[in-house]
Amino acid sequence: MKKIANFLKACKVPVFALAALISFSSDRCMIVDEFSVAQTDENGNEVFYAKANTDATFTLKGHIDCHEDHNGVNFVLGVLAPKSWKIAENARITYKCDLAEDHNQLLTMSPIPSTSLPKNGQGRTWVECLTQEYGVGTNVLDDMEWVAFQTDDKYSIINNQFPTFTIFITTNVGEKNLKCHLGIFINHTDDGFSGGNDHKTVQFSPDCFEVVDGVGLTLDFCNDHFNKISPMSCLQNDYVTFTFKGSAAENTLAATKEVYLQGTAYTTSGGRYTMDVRDGKSRMVRENAYSDTYNITFWPVDFFGVPEDEVIERIEYYFTNSDGTITITQSDDNLAQLGTPMPAVKEPFEFHFECE
């Protein structure tokens, strides 16, 4: 059977860009025609979610407009997804091309070993290049990761071959409720992350993909919220950074220039330990003079005064000013993001710790 002529290399062509995606230079030979995160539900309807602990398939369609000969190269795919999905272990990447003898034959891709460095990556791995160049894309939380895959076979392409291709990214979406913008990147080993964009393209899905019917509160990577925690998965003995993002929506707390973290730690044995003092220990640090973002990093056991023989299950918390007259809570965030009416008693933000 005839090998697929390689998906890659030098050319000049306008990139097809979906609405709301990042725009790029018109000089591009690796062209993404469509990147879809849509799924089909049990009734045959198109939806942008999947149930927790099930598989979802995301589809990338594209073509190459090539005007040079290249031999012995691999097609490269980068995928940005939540860390909890563990796509390096769980994802199955298949693809097909119209240059194959059987146009419907599914071929495979595998994770690129960390020892296989991109040709122009300046000593960095593929994952390091993707992370440093593109970060988490259009997402607002950083608990996501890039994983790089390559075709299991090498290919050759000659001048004026214009193959089309379809790539299927199938992965288990894990147990956590979340929303995110997935990202994809295409390149080839003969280019190997060069400085220009002629041979590589990155796009982030304009549609927010959601995992439902899982565990925990929904982690929203798609929209800015008043609260942020890093790392998002941690134990009570880890240092944790809580952030108040005053720019997420209109509010009066950010204008006070003095923000404090208040809350209660609940333990598995029924203990409650409260931080309700607004002093140097609970005061949050403003990132800079021009920012409405405030951070505080602490060891939870010490911050809330939890005895060493107890295990923290969750923290309920809120942000306030120096005299406690202004508060920002989950209820304020729900009003700003969802238009949910303000309840008679505000509900605090919640953070749940991982089990040992």
Side-chain angles (χ1 to χ4, degrees), residues 2-34:
K2 228 178 359 181
K3 279 276 190 187
I4 300 178
N6 181 301
F7 291 174
L8 321 133
K9 201 71 176 167
C11 24
K12 303 253 183 200
V13 60
V15 64
F16 177 90
L18 295 174
L21 294 181
I22 296 176
S23 40
F24 299 94
S25 163
S26 62
D27 294 333
R28 187 72 52 85
C29 69
M30 302 289 294
I31 302 165
V32 174
D33 294 316
E34 180 183 359

Side-chain angles (χ1 to χ4, degrees), residues 20-316:
L21 294 181
I22 296 176
S23 40
F24 299 94
S25 163
S26 62
D27 294 333
R28 187 72 52 85
C29 69
M30 302 289 294
I31 302 165
V32 174
D33 294 316
E34 180 183 359
F35 175 43
S36 174
V37 298
Q39 309 295 302
T40 302
D41 68 9
E42 57 272 16
N43 299 316
N45 299 317
E46 183 180 77
V47 296
F48 294 91
Y49 65 83
K51 292 184 178 180
N53 293 313
T54 65
D55 286 352
T57 297
F58 312 107
T59 305
L60 165 62
K61 296 181 179 181
H63 68 280
I64 297 169
D65 190 342
C66 186
H67 301 283
E68 294 179 19
D69 297 345
H70 297 283
N71 298 305
V73 293
N74 299 84
F75 182 79
V76 173
L77 170 73
V79 181
L80 176 70
K83 290 180 180 178
S84 61
W85 291 9
K86 300 179 180 178
I87 61 170
E89 304 168 23
N90 296 326
R92 301 184 304 280
I93 312 297
T94 56
Y95 66 96
K96 58 185 179 180
C97 177
D98 60 7
L99 291 182
E101 194 169 287
D102 179 356
H103 294 182
N104 294 313
Q105 181 185 12
L106 285 177
L107 302 165
T108 56
M109 301 180 76
S110 300
I112 301 177
S114 59
T115 54
S116 181
L117 304 181
K119 181 178 178 180
N120 292 298
Q122 299 178 331
R124 300 172 295 171
T125 66
W126 282 96
V127 169
E128 288 171 340
C129 288
L130 289 164
T131 303
Q132 293 171 16
E133 185 76 15
Y134 306 120
V136 294
T138 52
N139 295 282
V140 300
L141 300 176
D142 60 6
D143 202 35
M144 301 190 74
E145 65 178 349
W146 283 99
V147 176
F149 301 86
Q150 66 181 5
T151 54
D152 291 330
D153 296 318
K154 294 182 181 294
Y155 302 103
S156 296
I157 190 168
I158 61 176
N159 184 22
N160 290 325
Q161 279 188 312
F162 309 109
T164 63
F165 58 87
T166 303
I167 303 175
F168 304 98
I169 305 162
T170 301
T171 187
N172 188 283
V173 297
E175 65 176 6
K176 295 184 177 181
N177 293 316
L178 58 81
K179 300 177 181 179
C180 69
H181 292 290
L182 298 172
I184 52 94
F185 164 88
I186 53 175
N187 194 209
H188 56 85
T189 54
D190 199 27
D191 177 75
F193 222 97
S194 67
N197 287 322
D198 288 355
H199 306 285
K200 64 181 188 291
T201 295
V202 65
Q203 287 192 3
F204 303 98
S205 63
D207 300 299
C208 190
F209 181 78
E210 185 171 7
V211 179
V212 300
D213 295 342
V215 299
L217 300 172
T218 299
L219 301 175
D220 189 352
F221 294 79
C222 299
N223 302 294
D224 246 338
H225 294 268
F226 286 123
N227 62 320
K228 176 183 176 182
I229 295 178
S230 182
M232 296 177 64
S233 298
C234 63
L235 304 173
Q236 69 174 35
N237 288 321
D238 295 328
Y239 278 90
V240 187
T241 298
F242 282 63
T243 298
F244 167 64
K245 301 185 72 173
S247 60
E250 185 177 348
N251 68 96
T252 56
L253 179 58
T256 69
K257 312 302 182 187
E258 195 168 323
V259 180
Y260 296 83
L261 178 72
Q262 307 281 268
T264 301
Y266 295 83
T267 67
T268 55
S269 58
R272 296 179 51 169
Y273 301 91
T274 299
M275 164 55 76
D276 56 4
V277 177
R278 292 174 291 279
D279 58 11
K281 185 176 182 179
S282 61
R283 185 171 180 173
M284 305 181 74
V285 178
R286 193 179 182 190
E287 284 193 346
N288 59 65
Y290 306 99
S291 172
D292 285 333
T293 298
Y294 295 77
N295 302 298
I296 185 171
T297 300
F298 56 84
W299 179 34
V301 171
D302 174 71
F303 186 79
F304 289 98
V306 178
E308 292 184 2
D309 61 348
E310 294 194 49
V311 177
I312 303 175
E313 177 186 36
R314 75 183 191 280
I315 292 173
E316 294 183 354

